[in-house]
Amino acid sequence: DDEPAAATARTPLPVPDGVTAKGFDRHIDVQWQAPADSAAAYYVVSRSLDGATFLPIGTQRPGINRFADFIGRSGAKARYRIAAADSKSPQCTSA
C-alpha cells in the first residue's frame, strides 16, 4: 500500500472555439463557444493589453460562455484567450 499510484494519461480538454470580443465605452464583452462534451470545471479568461503578455483576469462556469471585462477607460485595445480547466490543472487548453 506504500506504492505510488500509477500515473494515468490525461486527455486534454477540448479548446473553446469562436472567441469574439465587442468593445463598448469602458468595457469589452468576450464570448466563446464551449464544446458540448467538455469536462471543463471552469474557463479561465486571460487578457493582453500589449498583444504579447496574457494575464488571467477571471473565471467563468461552464454554461456561461461570456465575460464582461471592465477596463475603465475608452479606446483600450485588448486580446483575449479562453482556457478550459479542470480540478487537476489550472489551464489545460486555450483558444
Side-chain angles (χ1 to χ4, degrees):
D1 287 308
D2 290 339
E3 296 294 320
T8 58
R10 294 190 50 216
T11 303
L13 296 171
V15 176
D17 198 17
V19 178
T20 61
K22 182 176 181 182
F24 294 90
D25 188 33
R26 294 188 178 162
H27 78 281
I28 299 172
D29 281 343
V30 183
Q31 294 185 320
W32 60 92
Q33 297 171 353
D37 59 346
S38 178
Y42 58 96
Y43 292 92
V44 178
V45 180
S46 297
R47 172 184 65 205
S48 173
L49 295 174
D50 64 6
T53 306
F54 284 84
L55 299 173
I57 57 168
T59 59
Q60 192 59 279
R61 298 182 314 206
I64 303 174
N65 300 332
R66 66 178 298 278
F67 183 84
D69 182 15
F70 289 90
I71 294 179
R73 66 180 198 261
S74 297
K77 292 186 182 198
R79 296 184 69 166
Y80 295 90
R81 288 186 180 164
I82 311 301
D86 62 17
S87 60
K88 295 181 178 150
S89 64
Q91 288 187 324
C92 289
T93 56
S94 65

